Amino acid sequence: TQLLEQSPQFLSIQEGENLTVYCNSSSVFSSLQWYRQEPGEGPVLLVTVVTGGEVKKLKRLTFQFGDARKDSSLHITAAQPGDTGLYLCAGAKNTNAGKSTFGDGTTLTVKP
Amino acid sequence: ETGVTQTPRHLVMGMTNKKSLKCEQHLGHNAMYWYKQSAKKPLELMFVYSLEERVENNSVPSRFSPECPNSSHLFLHLHTLQPEDSALYLCASSQDFQWADTQYFGPGTRLTVL
């Protein structure tokens, strides 16, 4: 059973465009994290959201945690080739120690 | 540079070989993890060590054998693997094995089993 579903699975856009990727679940999470993974590297943490409805901004990236803490979105404004990579969301539950559940990722390609 | 290193970065082995993957963290963390990342599948948690004690084993076949000699080092010993075991193996560490602790990942070992 896939607890965290990410969409779209693949996204190819031109430099300068905006995009949104989604992470959805039927489960409630205590926190949700977004990672970016570049080819040949491990995932690198971008942000952690913990409060329902929370919005965090990291330069051109805006992250939102759903009010019910079951879903999240990542919006990128004016995408750049350096944003290319695999975006992973991961949910954690305070009843589950350090075991996070990962989504299957969105592969983003930003063309110059 | 996340403070977690893995060696080797690439490994090709036959099904009868024995090899080991190494992970080292320089962050002073108490928990270390092994994950398997296959194409088009979510990261699969394999093992977790907390304070050098194995606290999680996610039904991983016995051909994978972890070892944690101290809180900074983690090994994954491989024996009699199958082609479907080919994947990126990621090591991670966190301050403790708590839900709120951030996990820091190494660059991974790309394993190919022939």
Side-chain angles (χ1 to χ4, degrees):
Chain A
T1 302
Q2 176 57 40
L3 294 182
L4 273 173
E5 294 191 351
Q6 292 189 239
S7 62
Q9 194 171 1
F10 297 95
L11 188 56
S12 181
I13 61 172
Q14 291 296 132
E15 182 176 2
E17 293 183 4
N18 302 332
L19 66 114
T20 303
V21 298
Y22 300 92
C23 175
N24 295 302
S25 175
S26 57
S27 297
V28 176
F29 290 99
S30 304
S31 70
L32 197 136
Q33 298 173 324
W34 284 93
Y35 293 83
R36 180 169 64 221
Q37 184 176 15
E38 298 184 13
E41 299 298 329
V44 176
L45 180 69
L46 296 174
V47 77
T48 299
V49 285
V50 296
T51 305
E54 181 177 5
V55 177
K56 281 192 173 180
K57 292 191 175 184
L58 184 65
K59 297 183 180 179
R60 294 176 293 100
L61 279 59
T62 301
F63 305 85
Q64 185 163 8
F65 202 11
D67 291 341
R69 291 185 289 131
K70 292 182 178 181
D71 53 79
S72 181
S73 64
L74 159 59
H75 182 79
I76 301 179
T77 303
Q80 299 177 359
D83 296 326
T84 293
L86 175 67
Y87 287 81
L88 297 166
C89 65
K93 298 185 178 185
N94 59 13
T95 54
N96 218 12
K99 289 166 47 174
S100 294
T101 300
F102 282 82
D104 49 5
T106 293
T107 300
L108 171 66
T109 302
V110 182
K111 301 175 183 177
Chain B
E1 181 60 47
T2 62
V4 181
T5 59
Q6 290 186 243
T7 55
R9 294 294 306 274
H10 300 271
L11 179 61
V12 179
M13 59 186 289
M15 290 191 285
T16 59
N17 291 158
K18 288 184 180 182
K19 297 286 184 182
S20 296
L21 310 184
K22 179 183 177 181
C23 175
E24 183 173 1
Q25 57 97 358
H26 310 274
L27 302 169
H29 288 168
N30 295 316
M32 297 186 76
Y33 309 70
W34 279 117
Y35 287 89
K36 177 183 179 182
Q37 187 176 34
S38 305
K40 301 180 182 179
K41 293 177 67 176
L43 262 69
E44 300 173 55
L45 181 62
M46 301 175 71
F47 302 104
V48 182
Y49 277 82
S50 178
L51 297 171
E52 300 155 44
E53 178 182 343
R54 191 189 310 180
V55 295
E56 191 71 27
N57 178 347
N58 262 1
S59 303
V60 180
S62 59
R63 58 185 183 269
F64 295 91
S65 175
E67 178 190 1
C68 187
N70 55 64
S71 60
S72 299
H73 294 87
L74 185 65
F75 294 89
L76 188 62
H77 304 299
L78 314 173
H79 174 53
T80 320
L81 294 192
Q82 305 298 310
E84 60 265 28
D85 296 323
S86 298
L88 182 68
Y89 287 84
L90 291 164
C91 173
S93 72
S94 62
Q95 185 61 55
D96 293 294
F97 185 49
Q98 300 294 330
W99 70 274
D101 289 329
T102 298
Q103 293 182 27
Y104 295 85
F105 286 85
T109 295
R110 172 69 62 186
L111 174 66
T112 303
V113 182
L114 302 176

